[in-house]
Amino acid sequence: MISSLAHSTRLSSVPQDPADFPRLVSHKLSYYTPVVNKQRPVKRRVKQWSEETSARLRDCFETTDWEALCSPHGSDIDSMTDCITDYINFCVENTVPSKWVRCFPNNKPWVTSEIKALLNEKKRVFKSGDKEELRRVQRELRLRIRKGKDSYRRKLEERLEQNNARDVWRGLQTIAGHGKGVGRNPVSGDKDWADELNLFFNRFDSVPPPSLTPPDPYSHLPWRAPPSPAPPLLSPTPFTPSTPNRHPLTSSQLNTSTPPPQSSSSPLSITDDHVSSQLKKIKARKAPGPDGISPRLLKDCADQLCGVVRRLFNLSLSLEKVPALWKTSCVVPVPKTPRPKEPNHFRPVALTSHLMKTMERIILRHLRLLVGTQLDPLQFAYQPGIGVEDAVIYLLHRSLLHLEDSRSAVRVMFFDFSSAFNTIQPSLLRVKMERVGVDQHLAAWTTDYLTNRPQFVKLQHCVSDVVLCSTGAPQGTVLSPFLFTLYTSDFTHNTAHCHIQKFSDDTAVVGRVSEGDDLEYRTIIRDFVSWCELNQLQLNTSKTKEMIVNYQRKTSHFTPVNIQGSDIEVVRSYRFLGVHLNNKLDWTDNTHALYKKGQSRLHLLRRLRSFGVCRALLRTFYDSVVASAILYAVVCWRGSSTDRDRSRLNRLIRRASSVLDCPLDSTVVEKFF
């Protein structure tokens, strides 16, 4: 209780009113004020979508003469995009009715108007001092709340029968209190705070060089031939050495007047079928972008809008230019910590136009087919059929192979970047895209997409001024992860004694140290740091850690690695992709973390049971929240965990079984253990 009081209140100065002193002295209590401020009801304007309004919009767009809207603008992609956007929003405004609703942020969904009236009555009676009337109002209030909860529970059960998974999951989260912490509530503040955040998110921006051919940032490194294909994830035979790949274009090739070699790929041409199929996959409940076009409109009217949208897409590709409206990003700061105070405590998530995201999906599919085989084979992120478990298993597999020699130890360097996506240089990215065979027009279109991007920050009650960004890729877009993968694909290293593997921006170098010889390990780290500096990727040396695994009886001294003037800290354990690894390569630390997280999730499950939720909903919540936490990355540790570790997790599952009142041991424990 004292801990809860400390987190929910703060000590304030003694009130100045003398009438309050006897109360404070008699109770011998400090004067506290709540940390969480009361939130007033907010009025919001919502659209009332229905099948009838969607049908009317389809008829409207079916009879629209799009040629008359597009032809006056010629090749001006910006004015044409603005005209089409304004027309679509005009049709929606005059077709779909809207209403104003009052939202009460602090109210639970089962709090009705009758309950609110009783709460106000309770306050009035409490001030009057009538104890009998207060007891009567309290009894009636408890009865009304119980009926409201029962009604809400029945509503959830009905939605479960209707397979409305979204509303059911949201209701379960509300009841259990799951997800109420970091990043759930909009960030508040004034315009000065919004401007400060916007400038902080754009702190890596730099003016692009005036020359058409960017300078070669790799001229001083010893480039060699491409590597051989990566070994399989689990191979019983020893690995054959392969040569590291660090061979971008030379400065002479970039600065000559001759054009670069032509790509063998045909230019991308978008059809109506491409656009229509992608529009129909849009999630209708997503928030609209800065252009104001509702995703539900695009989904319901995909066949009617695919023609004009296809025209805009192809015109954008032919002009190698992205409309400014589509490049505009509405950045929503998402807190990383429970009580953020500094700009670096927020993660910038960009809301962009859904039409732009549709075009990005079409281009992403084209790029995957074009350059998929030339990407880093040890990049485990954003690859179909490959995930976190594969990256962890590969790291452990290579480490254990190195440790088969009793005279060897393993050193693992876990690198940490500072805002990796925000430091991509469009000019360098264009060179790398053309080098792997991307069409010059598409590479130029991508460069235009990343330069001169209007960006503003939106808080709860205000927005910041607009700034132009020409560095990095906005987080939350479709192309950004793939572009970062392509940007970092030209640095690979995979030999029998050392390799570098990546999962998006999480990079690890694993090296074998035999009889104190760690030359290759240090060389690859030095070259990787130099490569990061030349590509303007900033390393966070304070968060970069090293872990040493040494099973030798005679302890050896390992000289610490120095990066950018700082000795890297050697840690006993490290959390890699959500899995806790230690220098013994056992699962004690990971089991402790899973057990601790599972205990907190069981508390949420008990809250649901006390609410009276049916067993089917309890099982749904257990599988989604509790079991997913206890069995995270189970394929990595299930085969080598100890009996003690398994018994701890089995204890949690048995407790969950008692809460659900159904056997889980036969369906979960035996399956995985």
Side-chain angles (χ1 to χ4, degrees), residues 579-612:
V579 179
H580 294 261
L581 306 176
N582 61 19
N583 56 4
K584 296 181 180 179
L585 293 186
D586 59 25
W587 299 106
T588 304
D589 296 343
N590 187 68
T591 303
H592 177 73
L594 294 179
Y595 183 83
K596 185 177 179 180
K597 193 171 185 179
Q599 278 187 317
S600 63
R601 298 292 176 89
L602 276 180
H603 169 69
L604 304 178
L605 190 66
R606 293 189 182 97
R607 289 186 61 178
L608 281 180
R609 187 187 64 174
S610 64
F611 196 86

Side-chain angles (χ1 to χ4, degrees), residues 498-608:
C498 188
H499 81 279
I500 181 171
Q501 68 177 74
K502 311 165 189 172
F503 192 94
S504 186
D505 60 336
D506 292 310
T507 306
V509 174
V510 180
R512 173 185 174 184
V513 180
S514 180
E515 298 181 353
D517 183 12
D518 58 356
L519 178 60
E520 183 180 0
Y521 174 74
R522 291 181 176 273
T523 302
I524 184 62
I525 291 178
R526 183 193 63 216
D527 291 349
F528 181 72
V529 172
S530 300
W531 176 87
C532 291
E533 292 175 350
L534 296 172
N535 286 268
Q536 300 189 29
L537 294 175
Q538 299 188 12
L539 291 173
N540 190 345
T541 55
S542 62
K543 293 184 179 180
T544 299
K545 306 296 180 182
E546 185 183 24
M547 188 177 70
I548 301 176
V549 184
N550 185 13
Y551 290 163
Q552 302 179 37
R553 294 183 178 179
K554 183 180 179 181
T555 58
S556 303
H557 174 71
F558 296 92
T559 306
V561 178
N562 187 280
I563 296 179
Q564 297 176 348
S566 302
D567 289 339
I568 302 303
E569 179 186 1
V570 178
V571 296
R572 190 191 67 84
S573 64
Y574 186 83
R575 186 172 181 263
F576 180 63
L577 302 179
V579 179
H580 294 261
L581 306 176
N582 61 19
N583 56 4
K584 296 181 180 179
L585 293 186
D586 59 25
W587 299 106
T588 304
D589 296 343
N590 187 68
T591 303
H592 177 73
L594 294 179
Y595 183 83
K596 185 177 179 180
K597 193 171 185 179
Q599 278 187 317
S600 63
R601 298 292 176 89
L602 276 180
H603 169 69
L604 304 178
L605 190 66
R606 293 189 182 97
R607 289 186 61 178
L608 281 180

Side-chain angles (χ1 to χ4, degrees), residues 105-365:
N106 294 329
N107 282 355
K108 298 295 184 181
W110 54 82
V111 176
T112 60
S113 57
E114 293 83 1
I115 295 178
K116 294 177 186 177
L118 284 175
L119 288 172
N120 294 330
E121 180 69 13
K122 177 184 174 182
K123 294 178 183 178
R124 186 190 62 81
V125 175
F126 178 79
K127 292 180 181 179
S128 66
D130 190 347
K131 296 183 179 180
E132 293 297 330
E133 183 67 15
L134 179 62
R135 294 192 186 97
R136 185 193 66 81
V137 174
Q138 287 177 337
R139 286 194 299 268
E140 186 176 357
L141 180 61
R142 286 193 294 268
L143 180 61
R144 290 284 186 179
I145 292 177
R146 189 180 300 114
K147 289 183 178 180
K149 289 184 177 181
D150 292 340
S151 176
Y152 187 72
R153 175 180 52 80
R154 288 193 299 269
K155 185 185 297 185
L156 287 182
E157 294 173 357
E158 292 174 359
R159 291 175 179 176
L160 179 63
E161 295 176 357
Q162 299 170 359
N163 293 326
N164 192 344
R166 180 180 180 273
D167 290 344
V168 170
W169 175 240
R170 177 173 292 183
L172 292 178
Q173 285 183 307
T174 302
I175 296 173
H178 177 57
K180 295 175 64 177
V182 177
R184 288 293 177 180
N185 298 321
V187 179
S188 60
D190 55 7
K191 186 177 181 300
D192 293 338
W193 176 237
D195 291 335
E196 182 180 352
L197 287 175
N198 199 17
L199 294 176
F200 177 79
F201 296 151
N202 197 33
R203 66 190 183 278
F204 299 105
D205 191 37
S206 60
V207 180
S211 60
L212 296 178
T213 56
D216 177 26
Y218 312 94
S219 56
H220 75 288
L221 292 181
W223 311 120
R224 284 167 279 188
S228 60
L233 291 180
L234 296 176
S235 174
T237 59
F239 293 107
T240 57
S242 61
T243 310
N245 175 27
R246 284 158 275 169
H247 62 290
L249 298 176
T250 62
S251 57
S252 59
Q253 290 177 308
L254 282 172
N255 295 327
T256 55
S257 58
T258 58
Q262 296 293 329
S263 171
S264 59
S265 63
S266 59
L268 174 61
S269 179
I270 300 176
T271 63
D272 290 352
D273 293 337
H274 294 155
V275 177
S276 178
S277 61
Q278 292 298 328
L279 289 178
K280 292 178 181 179
K281 295 178 181 178
I282 294 178
K283 296 182 180 180
R285 293 182 178 269
K286 288 289 185 178
D291 58 359
I293 297 181
S294 170
R296 174 159 185 174
L297 165 73
L298 299 176
K299 184 180 182 68
D300 292 346
C301 304
D303 295 330
Q304 290 73 30
L305 295 176
C306 62
V308 66
V309 174
R310 181 259 308 159
R311 179 171 182 169
L312 292 175
F313 287 174
N314 286 327
L315 180 61
S316 176
L317 290 174
S318 62
L319 297 177
E320 302 175 2
K321 181 179 180 180
V322 180
L325 183 61
W326 290 358
K327 293 196 293 184
T328 303
S329 300
C330 173
V331 178
V332 178
V334 178
K336 301 178 183 178
T337 59
R339 294 181 178 87
K341 297 180 180 179
E342 302 295 332
N344 59 353
H345 294 167
F346 295 91
R347 178 179 292 107
V349 177
L351 295 179
T352 57
S353 170
H354 285 277
L355 288 177
M356 184 62 200
K357 290 183 178 180
T358 302
M359 187 176 184
E360 289 181 74
R361 293 187 183 96
I362 298 174
I363 293 177
L364 176 62
R365 182 179 179 183

